[in-house]
Coordinates of all heavy atoms in Angstrom, one line a residue:
L25 N 130.6 142.0 40.6 CA 130.2 143.3 40.2 C 128.9 143.2 39.3 O 128.1 144.1 39.4 CB 131.4 143.9 39.4 CG 131.2 145.4 39.0 CD1 131.0 146.3 40.3 CD2 132.4 145.9 38.2
S26 N 128.8 142.2 38.5 CA 127.6 142.1 37.7 C 126.4 141.9 38.5 O 125.3 142.3 38.1 CB 127.8 141.0 36.6 OG 127.8 139.7 37.3
L27 N 126.5 141.2 39.7 CA 125.4 141.1 40.5 C 124.9 142.4 41.1 O 123.7 142.7 41.1 CB 125.7 140.1 41.7 CG 124.6 139.8 42.7 CD1 123.4 139.1 42.0 CD2 125.1 139.0 43.9
L28 N 125.8 143.3 41.3 CA 125.5 144.6 41.8 C 124.6 145.3 40.8 O 123.5 145.9 41.2 CB 126.7 145.4 42.1 CG 126.5 146.9 42.4 CD1 125.9 147.0 43.8 CD2 127.9 147.6 42.4
F29 N 124.9 145.3 39.5 CA 124.2 146.0 38.5 C 122.9 145.2 38.2 O 121.8 145.9 38.0 CB 125.0 146.2 37.2 CG 126.1 147.1 37.4 CD1 127.4 146.7 37.3 CD2 125.8 148.5 37.7 CE1 128.4 147.6 37.5 CE2 126.9 149.4 37.9 CZ 128.2 149.0 37.8
S30 N 122.9 143.9 38.2 CA 121.7 143.2 37.8 C 120.6 143.3 38.9 O 119.4 143.4 38.6 CB 122.0 141.7 37.6 OG 122.4 141.1 38.8
V31 N 121.0 143.4 40.2 CA 120.0 143.7 41.2 C 119.3 145.0 41.1 O 118.1 145.2 41.2 CB 120.6 143.5 42.6 CG1 119.7 144.0 43.7 CG2 121.0 142.1 42.8
F32 N 120.2 146.1 40.8 CA 119.6 147.4 40.6 C 118.7 147.5 39.4 O 117.6 148.1 39.4 CB 120.8 148.4 40.4 CG 120.3 149.8 40.1 CD1 119.7 150.6 41.1 CD2 120.4 150.3 38.8 CE1 119.2 151.8 40.8 CE2 120.0 151.6 38.5 CZ 119.3 152.3 39.5
E33 N 119.1 146.8 38.3 CA 118.3 146.8 37.1 C 117.0 146.1 37.3 O 115.9 146.5 36.9 CB 119.1 146.1 36.0 CG 120.2 147.0 35.5 CD 121.1 146.3 34.5 OE1 120.9 145.1 34.2 OE2 122.1 146.9 34.0
A34 N 117.0 145.0 38.1 CA 115.7 144.3 38.4 C 114.8 145.2 39.3 O 113.6 145.2 39.1 CB 116.0 143.0 39.2
W35 N 115.4 146.0 40.2 CA 114.6 146.9 41.0 C 114.0 148.0 40.1 O 112.8 148.3 40.3 CB 115.5 147.5 42.1 CG 114.8 148.5 42.9 CD1 114.0 148.3 44.0 CD2 114.9 149.9 42.7 NE1 113.6 149.5 44.5 CE2 114.1 150.5 43.7 CE3 115.5 150.8 41.8 CZ2 113.9 151.9 43.8 CZ3 115.3 152.1 41.9 CH2 114.5 152.7 42.9
V36 N 114.8 148.5 39.2 CA 114.3 149.6 38.3 C 113.1 149.0 37.4 O 112.1 149.7 37.3 CB 115.4 150.1 37.4 CG1 114.8 151.0 36.3 CG2 116.4 150.9 38.2
V37 N 113.2 147.8 36.9 CA 112.2 147.2 36.1 C 110.9 147.0 37.0 O 109.8 147.3 36.5 CB 112.7 145.9 35.5 CG1 111.5 145.1 34.8 CG2 113.8 146.2 34.4
Q38 N 111.1 146.5 38.2 CA 110.0 146.2 39.1 C 109.2 147.5 39.4 O 108.0 147.6 39.3 CB 110.5 145.5 40.3 CG 109.4 145.2 41.3 CD 109.3 146.2 42.4 OE1 110.2 147.0 42.7 NE2 108.2 146.2 43.1
R39 N 110.0 148.6 39.7 CA 109.4 149.9 40.0 C 108.7 150.5 38.8 O 107.6 151.1 38.9 CB 110.4 150.9 40.5 CG 110.9 150.6 41.9 CD 109.7 150.8 42.9 NE 110.2 151.2 44.1 CZ 109.5 151.7 45.1 NH1 108.2 151.9 44.9 NH2 110.0 152.1 46.2
H40 N 109.3 150.3 37.6 CA 108.7 150.8 36.4 C 107.4 150.1 36.1 O 106.4 150.8 35.8 CB 109.7 150.5 35.2 CG 109.2 151.1 33.9 ND1 109.5 152.4 33.6 CD2 108.6 150.5 32.9 CE1 109.0 152.6 32.4 NE2 108.4 151.4 31.9
H41 N 107.3 148.8 36.3 CA 106.1 148.1 36.1 C 105.0 148.4 37.1 O 103.8 148.5 36.8 CB 106.3 146.6 36.0 CG 107.0 146.2 34.7 ND1 107.8 145.1 34.7 CD2 107.1 146.8 33.5 CE1 108.3 145.0 33.5 NE2 107.9 146.0 32.8
R42 N 105.5 148.6 38.4 CA 104.5 148.9 39.5 C 103.9 150.3 39.2 O 102.7 150.5 39.5 CB 105.3 149.0 40.8 CG 104.3 149.3 42.0 CD 105.0 149.5 43.3 NE 105.6 148.2 43.8 CZ 106.3 148.2 44.8 NH1 106.6 149.2 45.6 NH2 106.9 147.0 45.2
A43 N 104.6 151.2 38.6 CA 104.1 152.6 38.4 C 103.3 152.6 37.1 O 102.7 153.6 36.7 CB 105.3 153.6 38.3
K44 N 103.3 151.5 36.4 CA 102.5 151.3 35.1 C 102.9 152.4 34.1 O 102.1 153.0 33.4 CB 101.0 151.4 35.4 CG 100.5 150.2 36.2 CD 99.0 150.4 36.4 CE 98.4 149.2 37.1 NZ 99.0 148.6 38.2
L45 N 104.2 152.6 34.0 CA 104.8 153.5 33.0 C 104.9 152.9 31.6 O 105.0 151.6 31.5 CB 106.2 154.0 33.5 CG 106.2 154.7 34.8 CD1 107.6 155.0 35.2 CD2 105.4 156.1 34.7
P46 N 104.9 153.6 30.6 CA 105.0 153.0 29.2 C 106.3 152.2 29.1 O 107.4 152.6 29.6 CB 105.1 154.3 28.3 CG 104.4 155.4 29.1 CD 104.7 155.1 30.5
E47 N 106.2 151.1 28.4 CA 107.4 150.2 28.2 C 108.6 150.8 27.6 O 109.7 150.6 27.9 CB 106.9 148.9 27.5 CG 107.8 147.8 27.7 CD 107.8 147.3 29.1 OE1 106.8 147.3 29.8 OE2 108.9 146.8 29.5
E48 N 108.3 151.7 26.6 CA 109.4 152.4 25.9 C 110.2 153.3 26.8 O 111.4 153.6 26.5 CB 109.0 153.1 24.6 CG 107.9 154.2 24.9 CD 106.5 153.7 24.8 OE1 106.3 152.5 24.7 OE2 105.6 154.5 24.9
W49 N 109.7 153.8 27.9 CA 110.4 154.6 28.8 C 111.5 153.8 29.5 O 112.5 154.4 29.9 CB 109.5 155.2 29.9 CG 108.6 156.3 29.3 CD1 108.4 156.6 28.0 CD2 107.8 157.1 30.1 NE1 107.5 157.7 28.0 CE2 107.1 158.0 29.2 CE3 107.5 157.2 31.5 CZ2 106.2 158.9 29.7 CZ3 106.6 158.2 31.9 CH2 106.0 159.0 31.0
L50 N 111.3 152.5 29.7 CA 112.3 151.7 30.4 C 113.6 151.7 29.6 O 114.7 151.8 30.2 CB 111.7 150.3 30.6 CG 112.5 149.4 31.5 CD1 112.6 150.0 32.9 CD2 111.8 148.0 31.6
E51 N 113.5 151.5 28.3 CA 114.7 151.5 27.5 C 115.4 152.8 27.5 O 116.7 152.9 27.7 CB 114.4 151.1 26.0 CG 115.6 151.1 25.1 CD 115.2 150.8 23.7 OE1 114.1 150.3 23.4 OE2 116.0 151.1 22.8
D52 N 114.6 153.9 27.5 CA 115.2 155.2 27.6 C 115.9 155.5 29.0 O 116.9 156.1 29.0 CB 114.1 156.3 27.4 CG 114.6 157.7 27.2 OD1 115.5 157.9 26.4 OD2 114.1 158.6 27.9
T53 N 115.3 155.0 30.0 CA 115.9 155.1 31.4 C 117.2 154.4 31.4 O 118.2 155.0 31.9 CB 114.9 154.5 32.4 OG1 113.7 155.2 32.4 CG2 115.5 154.5 33.8
F54 N 117.4 153.2 30.9 CA 118.6 152.5 30.9 C 119.7 153.2 30.0 O 120.9 153.2 30.3 CB 118.5 151.0 30.5 CG 117.9 150.2 31.7 CD1 116.7 149.6 31.5 CD2 118.6 150.1 32.9 CE1 116.2 148.8 32.5 CE2 118.1 149.4 33.9 CZ 116.9 148.7 33.7
R55 N 119.2 153.7 28.9 CA 120.1 154.5 28.0 C 120.7 155.7 28.7 O 121.9 155.9 28.7 CB 119.4 154.9 26.7 CG 120.3 155.6 25.7 CD 119.6 156.1 24.4 NE 118.9 155.0 23.8 CZ 117.5 154.9 23.7 NH1 116.8 155.8 24.2 NH2 117.0 153.9 23.1
K56 N 119.8 156.4 29.4 CA 120.3 157.6 30.1 C 121.2 157.3 31.3 O 122.2 158.0 31.5 CB 119.1 158.5 30.6 CG 118.4 159.2 29.4 CD 117.1 159.9 29.9 CE 116.4 160.6 28.8 NZ 115.2 161.2 29.2
A57 N 120.9 156.2 32.0 CA 121.7 155.7 33.1 C 123.1 155.3 32.6 O 124.1 155.7 33.2 CB 121.0 154.6 33.8
S58 N 123.2 154.7 31.5 CA 124.4 154.3 30.9 C 125.3 155.5 30.5 O 126.5 155.5 30.8 CB 124.2 153.3 29.7 OG 125.4 152.9 29.2
L59 N 124.7 156.4 29.9 CA 125.4 157.7 29.5 C 125.8 158.4 30.8 O 127.0 158.9 30.8 CB 124.5 158.6 28.7 CG 124.2 158.1 27.2 CD1 123.2 159.0 26.5 CD2 125.5 158.2 26.4
A60 N 125.0 158.5 31.8 CA 125.4 159.2 33.0 C 126.5 158.5 33.7 O 127.4 159.2 34.2 CB 124.2 159.3 34.0
Q61 N 126.5 157.2 33.7 CA 127.6 156.4 34.3 C 129.0 156.7 33.6 O 130.0 157.0 34.3 CB 127.4 154.9 34.3 CG 126.3 154.5 35.3 CD 126.0 153.0 35.2 OE1 126.4 152.3 34.2 NE2 125.2 152.5 36.1
G62 N 128.9 156.8 32.3 CA 130.1 157.1 31.5 C 130.6 158.5 31.8 O 131.8 158.8 32.0
F63 N 129.6 159.5 31.8 CA 130.0 160.8 32.1 C 130.6 161.0 33.4 O 131.6 161.7 33.6 CB 128.7 161.7 32.0 CG 128.9 163.1 32.4 CD1 129.5 164.0 31.6 CD2 128.4 163.6 33.6 CE1 129.7 165.3 31.9 CE2 128.5 164.9 34.0 CZ 129.2 165.8 33.2
F64 N 130.0 160.4 34.5 CA 130.5 160.6 35.8 C 131.9 159.8 36.0 O 132.7 160.3 36.8 CB 129.5 160.1 36.9 CG 128.4 161.1 37.1 CD1 127.1 160.8 36.7 CD2 128.7 162.4 37.6 CE1 126.1 161.8 36.9 CE2 127.7 163.3 37.7 CZ 126.4 163.0 37.4
A65 N 132.1 158.8 35.3 CA 133.4 158.1 35.3 C 134.5 159.0 34.7 O 135.6 159.1 35.3 CB 133.4 156.8 34.5
I66 N 134.2 159.7 33.7 CA 135.1 160.7 33.1 C 135.4 161.8 34.0 O 136.5 162.2 34.3 CB 134.6 161.2 31.7 CG1 134.6 160.1 30.7 CG2 135.5 162.4 31.2 CD1 133.9 160.4 29.4
I67 N 134.3 162.4 34.6 CA 134.5 163.5 35.6 C 135.3 163.0 36.8 O 136.2 163.7 37.3 CB 133.1 164.0 36.1 CG1 132.3 164.6 34.9 CG2 133.2 165.0 37.2 CD1 133.0 165.8 34.2
A68 N 135.1 161.8 37.3 CA 135.8 161.3 38.4 C 137.3 161.1 38.1 O 138.2 161.5 38.9 CB 135.3 159.9 38.9
G69 N 137.6 160.7 36.9 CA 139.0 160.6 36.5 C 139.7 161.9 36.4 O 140.8 162.1 36.8
L70 N 139.0 162.9 35.8 CA 139.5 164.2 35.7 C 139.7 164.9 37.1 O 140.8 165.5 37.3 CB 138.6 165.1 34.8 CG 138.6 164.8 33.3 CD1 137.5 165.6 32.6 CD2 139.9 164.9 32.7
L71 N 138.8 164.7 37.9 CA 138.9 165.2 39.3 C 140.0 164.6 40.1 O 140.8 165.2 40.7 CB 137.6 165.1 40.1 CG 137.6 165.6 41.5 CD1 137.8 167.1 41.6 CD2 136.3 165.2 42.2
S72 N 140.2 163.3 39.9 CA 141.3 162.6 40.5 C 142.6 163.1 40.1 O 143.5 163.3 40.9 CB 141.2 161.1 40.3 OG 140.0 160.5 40.8
E73 N 142.7 163.3 38.8 CA 144.0 163.8 38.2 C 144.3 165.2 38.8 O 145.4 165.5 39.1 CB 143.9 163.8 36.7 CG 145.2 164.2 36.0 CD 146.2 163.1 36.1 OE1 145.9 161.9 36.2 OE2 147.4 163.5 36.0
W74 N 143.3 166.0 38.8 CA 143.5 167.4 39.4 C 143.9 167.3 40.8 O 144.8 168.1 41.2 CB 142.2 168.2 39.2 CG 142.3 169.6 39.6 CD1 142.8 170.6 38.9 CD2 142.0 170.1 40.9 NE1 142.8 171.7 39.7 CE2 142.3 171.5 40.9 CE3 141.5 169.5 42.1 CZ2 142.2 172.3 42.0 CZ3 141.4 170.3 43.2 CH2 141.7 171.7 43.2
L75 N 143.2 166.5 41.6 CA 143.5 166.4 43.0 C 145.0 166.0 43.3 O 145.7 166.5 44.1 CB 142.6 165.4 43.8 CG 141.2 165.9 44.1 CD1 140.3 164.7 44.5 CD2 141.2 167.0 45.1
V76 N 145.4 165.0 42.5 CA 146.8 164.5 42.7 C 147.8 165.6 42.3 O 148.8 165.8 42.9 CB 147.1 163.2 41.8 CG1 148.5 162.9 41.7 CG2 146.3 162.1 42.4
G77 N 147.5 166.4 41.3 CA 148.4 167.4 40.9 C 148.4 168.7 41.7 O 149.3 169.5 41.7
H78 N 147.2 169.0 42.4 CA 147.1 170.3 43.0 C 147.0 170.3 44.5 O 147.1 171.3 45.2 CB 145.8 171.0 42.5 CG 146.0 171.5 41.1 ND1 145.8 170.6 40.0 CD2 146.4 172.7 40.6 CE1 146.1 171.3 38.9 NE2 146.4 172.6 39.2
V79 N 146.8 169.1 45.1 CA 146.8 169.1 46.6 C 148.2 168.8 47.1 O 148.9 167.9 46.7 CB 145.8 167.9 47.1 CG1 145.9 167.8 48.6 CG2 144.4 168.2 46.6
P80 N 148.6 169.7 48.0 CA 150.0 169.6 48.5 C 150.2 168.4 49.4 O 149.2 168.0 50.1 CB 150.3 170.9 49.3 CG 148.9 171.4 49.6 CD 148.0 170.9 48.6
E81 N 151.3 167.8 49.4 CA 151.6 166.6 50.3 C 151.8 167.2 51.7 O 152.5 168.2 51.9 CB 152.9 165.9 49.8 CG 153.0 164.5 50.4 CD 154.1 163.7 49.7 OE1 154.2 163.8 48.5 OE2 154.8 163.1 50.4
S82 N 151.2 166.5 52.7 CA 151.4 166.9 54.1 C 151.2 165.7 55.0 O 150.8 164.6 54.5 CB 150.5 168.0 54.4 OG 149.1 167.6 54.3
S83 N 151.4 165.9 56.3 CA 151.1 164.8 57.2 C 150.6 165.5 58.5 O 151.0 166.6 58.8 CB 152.3 163.9 57.5 OG 153.3 164.7 58.0
A84 N 149.9 164.7 59.3 CA 149.4 165.2 60.6 C 149.3 164.0 61.5 O 148.7 163.0 61.1 CB 148.1 165.9 60.5
Y85 N 149.8 164.1 62.7 CA 149.7 163.0 63.7 C 150.3 161.7 63.1 O 149.8 160.6 63.4 CB 148.3 162.8 64.1 CG 147.6 164.0 64.7 CD1 146.6 164.7 64.0 CD2 148.0 164.5 65.9 CE1 146.1 165.8 64.5 CE2 147.4 165.7 66.4 CZ 146.5 166.3 65.7 OH 145.9 167.5 66.2
G86 N 151.3 161.8 62.2 CA 151.9 160.6 61.7 C 151.2 160.0 60.5 O 151.5 159.0 60.0
L87 N 150.1 160.6 60.1 CA 149.3 160.1 58.9 C 149.6 160.9 57.7 O 149.7 162.2 57.7 CB 147.8 160.2 59.3 CG 147.3 159.4 60.5 CD1 145.8 159.7 60.7 CD2 147.5 157.9 60.2
A88 N 149.7 160.3 56.6 CA 149.9 161.0 55.3 C 148.6 161.6 54.9 O 147.5 161.0 54.9 CB 150.4 160.0 54.2
L89 N 148.7 162.8 54.4 CA 147.5 163.6 53.9 C 147.9 164.2 52.6 O 149.1 164.5 52.3 CB 147.1 164.7 54.9 CG 146.7 164.2 56.3 CD1 146.5 165.4 57.2 CD2 145.4 163.4 56.2
G90 N 146.9 164.5 51.7 CA 147.2 165.2 50.5 C 147.8 164.3 49.4 O 147.9 163.1 49.5
A91 N 148.3 164.9 48.3 CA 148.9 164.3 47.2 C 148.1 163.1 46.7 O 146.9 163.2 46.4 CB 150.3 164.0 47.5
E92 N 148.7 161.9 46.6 CA 148.1 160.7 46.1 C 146.9 160.2 47.0 O 146.0 159.6 46.6 CB 149.1 159.5 45.9 CG 150.0 159.7 44.8 CD 151.2 160.6 45.1 OE1 151.4 160.9 46.3 OE2 151.9 161.0 44.2
I93 N 147.0 160.5 48.3 CA 146.0 160.1 49.3 C 144.7 160.9 49.1 O 143.6 160.5 49.4 CB 146.5 160.3 50.7 CG1 147.8 159.5 50.9 CG2 145.5 159.8 51.7 CD1 147.7 158.0 50.8
A94 N 144.8 162.1 48.5 CA 143.7 163.0 48.3 C 142.5 162.3 47.5 O 141.4 162.6 47.8 CB 144.1 164.3 47.6
V95 N 142.9 161.5 46.6 CA 141.9 160.8 45.8 C 141.0 159.9 46.7 O 139.8 159.9 46.6 CB 142.5 160.0 44.7 CG1 141.5 159.2 43.9 CG2 143.3 160.9 43.7
Y96 N 141.7 159.2 47.6 CA 140.9 158.3 48.5 C 140.1 159.1 49.5 O 139.0 158.7 49.9 CB 141.9 157.3 49.1 CG 142.6 156.5 48.1 CD1 143.9 156.7 47.7 CD2 141.9 155.4 47.4 CE1 144.5 156.0 46.7 CE2 142.5 154.7 46.5 CZ 143.8 155.0 46.1 OH 144.4 154.2 45.1
Q97 N 140.7 160.2 50.0 CA 140.0 161.1 50.9 C 138.7 161.6 50.2 O 137.7 161.7 50.9 CB 140.9 162.2 51.4 CG 142.0 161.7 52.3 CD 143.1 162.7 52.5 OE1 143.2 163.6 51.8 NE2 143.8 162.6 53.6
A98 N 138.8 162.0 49.0 CA 137.7 162.5 48.3 C 136.6 161.4 48.1 O 135.4 161.6 48.2 CB 138.1 163.1 46.9
A99 N 137.1 160.2 47.8 CA 136.2 159.1 47.6 C 135.4 158.8 48.9 O 134.2 158.5 48.9 CB 137.0 157.8 47.2
V100 N 136.1 158.9 50.0 CA 135.4 158.7 51.3 C 134.3 159.8 51.5 O 133.2 159.5 52.0 CB 136.4 158.6 52.5 CG1 135.7 158.7 53.8 CG2 137.3 157.4 52.4
A101 N 134.7 161.0 51.2 CA 133.7 162.1 51.4 C 132.5 161.9 50.4 O 131.3 162.1 50.9 CB 134.4 163.4 51.1
V102 N 132.7 161.5 49.2 CA 131.6 161.3 48.3 C 130.8 160.1 48.7 O 129.5 160.1 48.7 CB 132.1 161.0 46.8 CG1 131.0 160.6 45.9 CG2 132.8 162.3 46.3
F103 N 131.4 159.0 49.2 CA 130.7 157.9 49.8 C 129.8 158.3 50.9 O 128.6 157.9 51.0 CB 131.6 156.8 50.2 CG 131.0 155.7 50.9 CD1 130.2 154.7 50.2 CD2 131.0 155.6 52.3 CE1 129.6 153.7 50.9 CE2 130.3 154.6 53.0 CZ 129.6 153.6 52.3
A104 N 130.4 159.1 51.9 CA 129.6 159.5 53.0 C 128.4 160.4 52.6 O 127.3 160.2 53.2 CB 130.5 160.3 54.0
L105 N 128.6 161.3 51.6 CA 127.5 162.1 51.1 C 126.4 161.2 50.5 O 125.2 161.4 50.8 CB 128.0 163.1 50.1 CG 126.9 164.0 49.5 CD1 126.3 164.9 50.6 CD2 127.6 164.8 48.4
G106 N 126.8 160.2 49.7 CA 125.8 159.3 49.1 C 125.1 158.5 50.1 O 123.9 158.2 50.0
W107 N 125.8 158.0 51.1 CA 125.2 157.2 52.2 C 124.2 158.1 52.9 O 123.1 157.6 53.2 CB 126.3 156.7 53.1 CG 125.7 155.9 54.3 CD1 125.3 154.6 54.3 CD2 125.5 156.4 55.6 NE1 124.9 154.3 55.5 CE2 125.0 155.3 56.4 CE3 125.8 157.6 56.3 CZ2 124.7 155.4 57.7 CZ3 125.5 157.7 57.6 CH2 124.9 156.6 58.3
A108 N 124.5 159.3 53.3 CA 123.6 160.2 54.0 C 122.3 160.5 53.1 O 121.2 160.4 53.6 CB 124.3 161.5 54.3
C109 N 122.5 160.7 51.8 CA 121.4 161.0 50.9 C 120.5 159.7 50.8 O 119.3 159.8 50.9 CB 121.8 161.4 49.6 SG 122.5 163.0 49.5
T110 N 121.1 158.6 50.8 CA 120.3 157.3 50.7 C 119.5 157.1 51.9 O 118.4 156.7 51.9 CB 121.3 156.1 50.4 OG1 122.0 156.3 49.2 CG2 120.5 154.8 50.4
C111 N 120.1 157.3 53.1 CA 119.4 157.1 54.4 C 118.3 158.1 54.5 O 117.2 157.7 55.1 CB 120.4 157.3 55.5 SG 121.6 155.9 55.7
L112 N 118.4 159.3 54.0 CA 117.4 160.3 54.2 C 116.2 160.1 53.2 O 115.1 160.5 53.5 CB 118.0 161.7 54.1 CG 118.9 162.1 55.2 CD1 119.6 163.4 54.9 CD2 118.2 162.2 56.5
M113 N 116.5 159.7 52.0 CA 115.6 159.7 50.9 C 115.0 158.3 50.4 O 114.0 158.3 49.7 CB 116.2 160.4 49.7 CG 116.4 161.9 49.9 SD 116.9 162.7 48.5 CE 118.6 162.6 48.4
W114 N 115.6 157.3 50.8 CA 115.2 155.9 50.3 C 113.9 155.5 51.0 O 113.8 155.5 52.2 CB 116.3 154.9 50.6 CG 116.1 153.6 49.9 CD1 115.5 152.5 50.3 CD2 116.6 153.3 48.6 NE1 115.5 151.6 49.4 CE2 116.2 152.0 48.3 CE3 117.4 154.0 47.6 CZ2 116.5 151.4 47.1 CZ3 117.7 153.4 46.5 CH2 117.3 152.1 46.2
S115 N 113.0 155.0 50.2 CA 111.8 154.4 50.8 C 111.9 152.9 50.7 O 112.4 152.3 49.8 CB 110.5 154.8 50.1 OG 110.5 154.3 48.8
D116 N 111.6 152.2 51.8 CA 111.8 150.8 51.9 C 110.6 150.0 51.3 O 109.5 150.2 51.6 CB 111.9 150.4 53.4 CG 112.3 149.0 53.6 OD1 112.7 148.3 52.7 OD2 112.3 148.6 54.8
D117 N 110.9 149.2 50.3 CA 109.9 148.4 49.6 C 109.3 147.4 50.6 O 108.1 147.1 50.5 CB 110.5 147.6 48.5 CG 110.9 148.5 47.3 OD1 110.3 149.5 47.2 OD2 111.7 148.1 46.5
A118 N 110.0 146.9 51.6 CA 109.4 146.0 52.6 C 108.2 146.6 53.3 O 107.2 146.0 53.5 CB 110.5 145.5 53.6
R119 N 108.3 147.9 53.7 CA 107.2 148.6 54.4 C 106.0 148.7 53.4 O 104.9 148.5 53.9 CB 107.6 150.0 54.8 CG 108.4 149.9 56.1 CD 108.6 151.3 56.6 NE 110.0 151.5 56.8 CZ 110.7 152.5 56.4 NH1 110.2 153.5 55.8 NH2 112.0 152.6 56.6
D120 N 106.3 148.9 52.1 CA 105.2 149.0 51.2 C 104.4 147.7 51.1 O 103.2 147.6 51.0 CB 105.7 149.4 49.8 CG 106.3 150.8 49.8 OD1 106.0 151.6 50.7 OD2 107.0 151.1 48.8
I121 N 105.2 146.6 51.0 CA 104.6 145.2 50.9 C 103.8 144.9 52.1 O 102.6 144.4 52.1 CB 105.7 144.2 50.7 CG1 106.3 144.4 49.3 CG2 105.1 142.8 50.8 CD1 107.6 143.6 49.1
V122 N 104.3 145.2 53.3 CA 103.6 144.9 54.6 C 102.3 145.7 54.7 O 101.3 145.2 55.0 CB 104.5 145.2 55.8 CG1 103.7 145.1 57.1 CG2 105.6 144.1 55.8
S123 N 102.4 147.0 54.3 CA 101.2 147.8 54.3 C 100.1 147.3 53.4 O 98.9 147.4 53.6 CB 101.5 149.3 54.1 OG 102.0 149.5 52.8
R124 N 100.5 146.8 52.2 CA 99.5 146.3 51.3 C 98.9 144.9 51.7 O 97.8 144.7 51.4 CB 100.1 146.1 49.9 CG 100.2 147.4 49.1 CD 100.7 147.1 47.7 NE 102.1 147.2 47.7 CZ 102.9 146.4 47.0 NH1 102.4 145.4 46.3 NH2 104.2 146.6 47.1
L125 N 99.6 144.2 52.5 CA 99.1 142.9 53.0 C 98.2 143.1 54.2 O 97.4 142.2 54.5 CB 100.3 142.0 53.4 CG 101.1 141.5 52.2 CD1 102.3 140.7 52.8 CD2 100.3 140.7 51.2
S126 N 98.3 144.2 54.9 CA 97.5 144.4 56.1 C 96.1 144.9 55.8 O 95.8 145.4 54.8 CB 98.2 145.5 57.0 OG 99.4 145.1 57.3

């Protein structure tokens, strides 16, 4: 798990330096990211608790739906949305490097 965060942090630092932004902004960026992660963790916990309490238990085609499974179903939906946004909006650093070398 720490590798996941250290790779992202290295990417942020590299992009920050490439854009020649003021050094003090980097600390502010990480502070805001840390606060946002905590905020979204709390929201996710509250939403999970609400889903478990308010989604009725059901089944279809022999598969369990709703109740405790609702949290995982919501996680899959959020993952799919994040994946779609990443695919549509992410610019590839490799293309940038190749274009600069040409």
